[in-house]
Structures are given as structure tokens and as C-alpha cells.
């Protein structure tokens, strides 16, 4: 086997790995299931055994405690009222009972009805005369006249951990005379230690717990004597044991060790005995079995891999031979050749189908090349349509003849250049670059639109630009732009606009555009409250010039009048040719006061009247003859109306100005009259 056969794309490798995966998963699933079931069964069996040990130990502890209660009771029954009054005799009697002292390693003490020690054995000067009524179990015996086993405490006299057993001393009439108490010291060898040690195994440990105090009384591990257990909530399983559950469970103990634990209550005291076994020891056979299963799985996996690969090599060898033949097929534009068919089996039929596909692809390849050549020729030579191709970073990849003509760059200059620096004006480059990035990310071309692009000479050309994104197989995205020159269209539109809104002779706004601007001025007056003025002018001496020199000279005069009018007003004002020798001047945004606005309008009207009345030097050009200079004197009659938006309609304003103009005519011409002005 060669190392190249282990490539991830090898079908043998993938099939082998797939089979091994199924095998390993199956093996481990079975192993996991078996180990879990075995662990469950073993936990149940071990728990039952452990619970039996804990029950036996609890029974022994309970029995020994009962024996000590009985022993104290037997001694107490021999004591009467007289004995309690003779402390020296009582002391001698206690010292004469070594058996009783052997049951309590902390000694035995007799207390009177007030709880004061009056005798003890072995003798101790620290106990006699001390009142112990403050101890709960002594107080309970005195109050309830019954035997009591105390909770583990630190003794006030011995200053050591231990517990006591107290029984009442009664006279013949049953009257309480005192208490006989035995003390068990837990820090010294005691009967509980002997019991626990007798049950101690190699790995299993035992605890004797006082649940009310959450305190370990004694343990096979002496370091845990008088250990306080964690508070409520720290361990739910431990809380369940403390609340009285008898049975087995697995949990993590306060020392962070997972253990199998069983608990059994001691009836006499309410304590419970706990048997503890770390799960690492309890389930060691399972872990050993898992290790053996792992080893077996590894061996079987390797064996299965070898057998599977050998079988696949044999079965797939014809297909691998065909693959090597396919790898050697020509890739540089030559026609692909048919592959040999070795046998008439599944692989042979697959290769035959491939040969048919190759033949079809060869025919399609030839057709595609022919179609591509025709398409490229059309794109190269199509007149009037500039076609460019760009990579998504803006690099030029295609530039046809129409693009050369439109933008001024030859194909050799453009190819390899960048869209942004070739034809995009500087103020558009950031937005175009952002659009290119958006197209590269989304695969969506931007919408077709009119653009003003830059030529090689630095000029601007208006184009209608549409876009298409192409992604050739195995190639990155490519953007194609189809641009149509709109220069002639824009010029024609401008000519139409000029004809529609401007006077062809003077270049001034015509009557239509004047009406639009008058509407705008009236609307602005409504918003701002400012007055406006409209002047209607009629030339006084125009017809004699036409009659004497012809209409061409009259046209020269009209052109000069238009020029003079424009010099007399602000750029924001409007000068229009109303028709013939009639002109209109409109002044906007005067004042909010009519009188002040009238004064301003009068000043402008007088300026216009004076300017129009100046002599005219008109140069008349005749083809083939020298130019002729014609001097002419002309004046204008001017009618003015000062208005705001609410005072009348557009037609009213024009009519008022026209009427004022006729008043100027009647007043002798070359004068100014206002609408509403008398005479």
C-alpha cells in the first residue's frame, strides 16, 4: 500500500473509514451499554451487601448502648435516698464497680437531684461539687425521670469530645433522688471504636453520625471524629440520609470523593451508621473490563481495516485504472479521447457512459467556441454601444471599438487599467468603489442609470449605462458594462427646452416660462409676505425702424433692448419677451411694506426707461458688402403693478400691468405709470 492511497479524497480511504466508524461506534455502544448495566447491577448488589453490613453494625451499636443503659440502671436501682445522702459511702460503692468503669472510659458520676456531682469513679477532684444541670441530657433525666443518651459534646470538665448516658436514681416510692451518668470519651479508645474496627474492611469505611447535630461521632478514619458535615443543600443525598433515609446511594462526599454509601439508623439514639466505599474501588472490576474491551476493540479495528482495504483494493482496481486514464485526458483545448472498456460490468458500463458523455461534450465544446467567437466579434464591432469588461477590483478585461471611440482610450491603453482611474470622475470614485464591493458580496449588479463619465481628455460624456455580472465556470465574477452615448440626445433635449421656454431671437424666457416664474413668485410672496412688481414694456419707436431698414435691423434692436434690460435688474429677477416689441420685467422679494416696495420698483423702472432711451448703434451686415451702421433712438412706455399673492390671479397681474402701460402711452410715451395711479 502506498501513502498516496491514504489521501482523504480516496474512495478506498473514505469507505474504509466509514466501515471502521460504524464498527467502532457499534463496539463502543455495546461496551458502554454493557458497562452501564454491569455498573447498575453491581451497585445494586454491593449496595445490598453494604446495607447489610451497616445494619449489622447499627444493631451492635444499639445493643452495646442498651447494655450500658441497663448496667447504669441496675446500679441506680441499688441506690436509695439514704445512699444519696452519704457521699463518702456512695463514692466507695462506685469505686467498687470496676465493670461499670470499664463500660465508660470517661468514668461514672452520681449527681443529686439538683444536678451537682457528689461522687465519681474513678475519683476526680474536678467533677465532685460541679453542677451539670446545664447539660441537656442531665436536665432531661431530671425533668422527665427517664434514661437519656446525650448528643456528642465537648465535656465541660474533660474538655474532650464525648457523650454521656444518664439514668434516674429513685427511692422505693419512685421519687427522683438524682442521676447516675456514664461518660464515653471519643478521643480515647472506646467501645464504638472496637465495634467499627471489627467491621472494618480493606477499602470500606464506617461512620457513626448524629444527624440532629450534623456531626460525625466516630469513624474508622479517626481524623473524622467530631467532624461537622456540610450545611443543608450542599449535598442532597447527604441531606436525605440525615433526614432518616435508610438504604444505599452513590454521591460525592464532603471530601469530594465519589462513594457508594449505605445508612442504617440506631433505634435507641436516632443516630445512623454509614458504610462508605469509594466507587473507584467498588467499580474497579468494571474499569478493568473496559480496559480489556478497549484493547480488544483496537485489535479488531485494525484487523477490520486491513481486511476492508484489501477487499476494496481488489474490487475497485478497474475503477482506479479508469481514474488514472481520466487524469491523463488532454486539458489544453484538445478533444477528449474515449477510455478503454475492460469488462462488461458496472465499471465497464460506467466508462461506456462516460465515453458517450465525452463525445457529447466535444460537440458542445466546438459549438460553444464557435458561438463565443461570433459573440465576441459582435461585441467588438457593434457600433454605438460601448462594451467594457471589468474584474471585481475594477481591472479592465474587455474594451470594444465603440468604447475606444466614446472614451478616447485605445484597447491596448485600457486593458489592464482600472475603471476608477480611466472613466470615473474623482467625485464619483468612492461611491463606485462601494458599489463594486457590494456587487462582489451579493452577486447583484447595480441598476441601469444615466451617468456622467470621464473621457481620456478630461471631459465629461453623458451615457446610459447598464450592467451584467457573469461568472464563468471556475472563474471569478466579471462585470460587463454596456454604455450608450447620450450626447446627441441631451443636445436635442436642450434644444427642445430652449424652443419651449425661451425666445429664439433674444434668448430671454418666453411667455410660457414667464407664466411659470410668475406662479413661483406669487407662491413665494404668500410664504414670505414680501411684495413683488411686474413691468410691462412696449417700445415707442419700433415700427418706423422696421419700415425703414427691414426686420433684420428690427431684430438687432430687440436683441440690444433685451441685453440692456438684463443689465438693469438683479440676477434673481426675470426679463422676458412677451411678443413683438413687448417685454416683461418681474422683480421678486421687495419689501413687506407696499409703499417701500413701490419706491424700489419705481427706481428700477426709471433706470430701465433711461437705459432704453439711450441711442442705439446697430451694425447691419450684408453678404458681399461692407457693414452699415444704423443709429436709432427708441424709448419705452412702462406699466408697473406692485402685488402680493392674495391680491389677484396671474392673469389679473398681467392685465393690470398692461393697462398701466397703456396709461404711459396715453401720457406721451417714454414714461412710467403704476397700476392704480391717477392720470
Amino acid at each position: 500500500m502506498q501513502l498516496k492511497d491514504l489521501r482523504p479524497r480516496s474512495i478506498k480511504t473514505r469507505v474504509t473509514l466509514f466501515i471502521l466508524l460504524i464498527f467502532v461506534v457499534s463496539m463502543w455502544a455495546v461496551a458502554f451499554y454493557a458497562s452501564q448495566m454491569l455498573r447498575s447491577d453491581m451497585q445494586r448488589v454491593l449496595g445490598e451487601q453494604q446495607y447489610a453490613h451497616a445494619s449489622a453494625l447499627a444493631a451492635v451499636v444499639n445493643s452495646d448502648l442498651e447494655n450500658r443503659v441497663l448496667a447504669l440502671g441496675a446500679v441506680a436501682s441499688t441506690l436509695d435516698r439514704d445512699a444519696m445522702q452519704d457521699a463518702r459511702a456512695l463514692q466507695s460503692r462506685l469505686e467498687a464497680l470496676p465493670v461499670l468503669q470499664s463500660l465508660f472510659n470517661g468514668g461514672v458520676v452520681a449527681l443529686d437531684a439538683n444536678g451537682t456531682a457528689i461522687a465519681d469513679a474513678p475519683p476526680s477532684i474536678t467533677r465532685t461539687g460541679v453542677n451539670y444541670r446545664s447539660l441537656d441530657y442531665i436536665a432531661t433525666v431530671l425533668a422527665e425521670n427517664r434514661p437519656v443518651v446525650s448528643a456528642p459534646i465537648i465535656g465541660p470538665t474533660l474538655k474532650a469530645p464525648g457523650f454521656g448516658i444518664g439514668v434516674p436514681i429513685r427511692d422505693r416510692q419512685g421519687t427522683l433522688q438524682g442521676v447516675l451518668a456514664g461518660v464515653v470519651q471519643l478521643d480515647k479508645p472506646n467501645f464504638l471504636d472496637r465495634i467499627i474496627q471489627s467491621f472494618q474492611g480493606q477499602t470500606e469505611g464506617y461512620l457513626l453520625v448524629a444527624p440532629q447535630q450534623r456531626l460525625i461521632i466516630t469513624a474508622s478514619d479517626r481524623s473524622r471524629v467530631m467532624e461537622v458535615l456540610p450545611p443543608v443543600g450542599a449535598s442532597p443525598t447527604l441531606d436525605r440520609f440525615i433526614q432518616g433515609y435508610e438504604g444505599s446511594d452513590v454521591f460525592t462526599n464532603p471530601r469530594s470523593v465519589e462513594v457508594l454509601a449505605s445508612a442504617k439508623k440506631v433505634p435507641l439514639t436516632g443516630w445512623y451508621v454509614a458504610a462508605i466505599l469509594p466507587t473507584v474501588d467498588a467499580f474497579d472490576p468494571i474499569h478493568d473490563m473496559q480496559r480489556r474491551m478497549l484493547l480488544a476493540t483496537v485489535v479488531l479495528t485494525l484487523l477490520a481495516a486491513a481486511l476492508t482495504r484489501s477487499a476494496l483494493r481488489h474490487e475497485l482496481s478497474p475503477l482506479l485504472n479508469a481514474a488514472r486514464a481520466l487524469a491523463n485526458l488532454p486539458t489544453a483545448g484538445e478533444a477528449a479521447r474515449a477510455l478503454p472498456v475492460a469488462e462488461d460490468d458496472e465499471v465497464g458500463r460506467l466508462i461506456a457512459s462516460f465515453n458517450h458523455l465525452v463525445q457529447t461534450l466535444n460537440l458542445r465544446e466546438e459549438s460553444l467556441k464557435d458561438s463565443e467567437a461570433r459573440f465576441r466579434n459582435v461585441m467588438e464591432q457593434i457600433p454605438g454601444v460601448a462594451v467594457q469588461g471589468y474584474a471585481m477590483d475594477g481591472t479592465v478585461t474587455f474594451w470594444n471599438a465603440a468604447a475606444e471611440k466614446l472614451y478616447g482610450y485605445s484597447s491596448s491603453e485600457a486593458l489592464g487599467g482600472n475603471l476608477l482611474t480611466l472613466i470615473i470622475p474623482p467625485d464619483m470614485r468612492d461611491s463606485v468603489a462601494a458599489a463594486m464591493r457590494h456587487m462582489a458580496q451579493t452577486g447583484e449588479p447595480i441598476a441601469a442609470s444615466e451617468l456622467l463619465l470621464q473621457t481620456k481628455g478630461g471631459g465629461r460624456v453623458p451615457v446610459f449605462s447598464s450592467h451584467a455580472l457573469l461568472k464563468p465556470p471556475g472563474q471569478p465574477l466579471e462585470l460587463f458594462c454596456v454604455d450608450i452615448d447620450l450626447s446627441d440626445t441631451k443636445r436635442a433635449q436642450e434644444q427642445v427646452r430652449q424652443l419651449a421656454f425661451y425666445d429664439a431671437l433674444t434668448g430671454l424666457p418666453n411667455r410660457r416660462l414667464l407664466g411659470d416664474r410668475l406662479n413661483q413668485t406669487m407662491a413665494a410672496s404668500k410664504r414670505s409676505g414680501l411684495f413683488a412688481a411686474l413691468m410691462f414694456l412696449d417700445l415707442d419707436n419700433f415700427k418706423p425702424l422696421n419700415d425703414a431698414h427691414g426686420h433684420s435691423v428690427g431684430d438687432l434692436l430687440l436683441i440690444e433692448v433685451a441685453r440692456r434690460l438684463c443689465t438693469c435688474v438683479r440676477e434673481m429677477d426675470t426679463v422676458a419677451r412677451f411678443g413683438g416689441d413687448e417685454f416683461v420685467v418681474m422683480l421678486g422679494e421687495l419689501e413687506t411694506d407696499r409703499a417701500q416696495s413701490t419706491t424700489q420698483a419705481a427706481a428700477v423702472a426709471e433706470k430701465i426707461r433711461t437705459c432704453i432711451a439711450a441711442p442705439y448703434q446697430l451694425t447691419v451686415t450684408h453678404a458681399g458688402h461692407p457693414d452699415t451702421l444704423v443709429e436709432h433712438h427708441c424709448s419705452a412706455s412702462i406699466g408697473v403693478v406692485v402685488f402680493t399673492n392674495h391680491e389677484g390671479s396671474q392673469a389679473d397681474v398681467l392685465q393690470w400691468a398692461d393697462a398701466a402701460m397703456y396709461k404711459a402711452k396715453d401720457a406721451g410715451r417714454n414714461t412710467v405709470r403704476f397700476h392704480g395711479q391717477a392720470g
Side-chain angles (χ1 to χ4, degrees), residues 44-63:
R44 178 178 55 80
V45 172
L46 288 176
E48 291 173 354
Q49 294 176 352
Q50 190 181 59
Y51 180 70
H53 292 167
S55 298
L57 180 56
V60 173
V61 171
N62 191 72
S63 176

Side-chain angles (χ1 to χ4, degrees), residues 79-87 90 111-112 118 169 177-178:
L79 303 177
D80 54 15
R81 183 175 181 180
D82 294 336
M84 292 298 294
Q85 291 179 350
D86 187 353
L90 181 59
L111 301 94
D112 62 18
I118 57 178
I169 301 174
Q177 300 298 314

Side-chain angles (χ1 to χ4, degrees), residues 431-509:
S431 60
V432 172
M436 294 286 285
R437 290 193 296 270
H438 179 74
M439 285 190 288
Q441 293 169 359
T442 64
E444 299 178 1
I446 58 175
S449 61
E450 290 188 15
L451 300 173
L452 196 62
L453 300 182
Q454 183 173 276
T455 64
K456 181 179 180 180
R460 302 288 179 94
V461 57
V463 299
F464 182 80
S465 184
S466 55
H467 318 88
L469 279 173
L470 301 182
K471 192 177 188 311
Q475 300 295 325
L477 278 172
E478 190 172 6
L479 172 67
F480 276 85
C481 296
V482 178
D483 297 340
I484 299 175
D485 188 0
L486 297 179
S487 299
D488 293 340
T489 302
K490 294 294 183 181
R491 282 192 290 270
Q493 290 175 346
E494 182 60 27
Q495 290 174 359
V496 170
R497 182 175 178 275
Q498 288 289 333
L499 291 174
F501 295 104
Y502 291 89
D503 177 56
L505 176 64
T506 63
L508 295 177

Side-chain angles (χ1 to χ4, degrees), residues 73 75-85 93 111 113 145 167-179:
V75 174
S77 65
T78 65
L79 303 177
D80 54 15
R81 183 175 181 180
D82 294 336
M84 292 298 294
Q85 291 179 350
R93 183 175 294 187
L111 301 94
N145 195 11
V167 298
I169 301 174
R170 306 182 186 93
D171 60 14
R172 291 183 179 86
Q173 288 75 33
T175 302
L176 182 68
Q177 300 298 314
V179 178

Side-chain angles (χ1 to χ4, degrees), residues 331-498:
T331 58
E334 301 179 14
R337 297 186 299 274
L339 299 174
V341 179
E343 296 183 19
D344 186 20
D345 55 7
E346 291 85 349
V347 176
R349 288 192 289 274
L350 177 64
I351 295 175
S353 299
F354 176 79
N355 289 338
H356 177 71
L357 177 62
V358 165
Q359 185 179 15
T360 303
L361 289 177
N362 285 338
L363 293 176
R364 291 183 181 178
E365 181 73 18
E366 292 298 325
S367 176
L368 182 61
K369 288 180 180 178
D370 182 60
S371 176
E372 183 180 355
R374 290 198 301 271
F375 174 76
R376 181 170 288 274
N377 185 58
V378 170
M379 288 295 99
E380 287 281 2
Q381 303 302 325
I382 186 170
V385 180
V387 182
Q388 316 104 58
Y390 302 100
M392 297 315 294
D393 62 354
T395 302
V396 180
T397 59
F398 183 80
W399 196 267
N400 73 350
E404 292 180 336
K405 181 178 179 181
L406 179 62
Y407 296 115
Y409 294 98
S410 67
S411 177
S412 59
E413 290 176 316
L415 292 175
N418 193 277
L419 161 71
L420 298 177
T421 56
L422 288 175
I423 64 173
I424 303 300
D427 58 323
M428 292 174 55
R429 287 174 184 170
D430 290 342
S431 60
V432 172
M436 294 286 285
R437 290 193 296 270
H438 179 74
M439 285 190 288
Q441 293 169 359
T442 64
E444 299 178 1
I446 58 175
S449 61
E450 290 188 15
L451 300 173
L452 196 62
L453 300 182
Q454 183 173 276
T455 64
K456 181 179 180 180
R460 302 288 179 94
V461 57
V463 299
F464 182 80
S465 184
S466 55
H467 318 88
L469 279 173
L470 301 182
K471 192 177 188 311
Q475 300 295 325
L477 278 172
E478 190 172 6
L479 172 67
F480 276 85
C481 296
V482 178
D483 297 340
I484 299 175
D485 188 0
L486 297 179
S487 299
D488 293 340
T489 302
K490 294 294 183 181
R491 282 192 290 270
Q493 290 175 346
E494 182 60 27
Q495 290 174 359
V496 170
R497 182 175 178 275
Q498 288 289 333

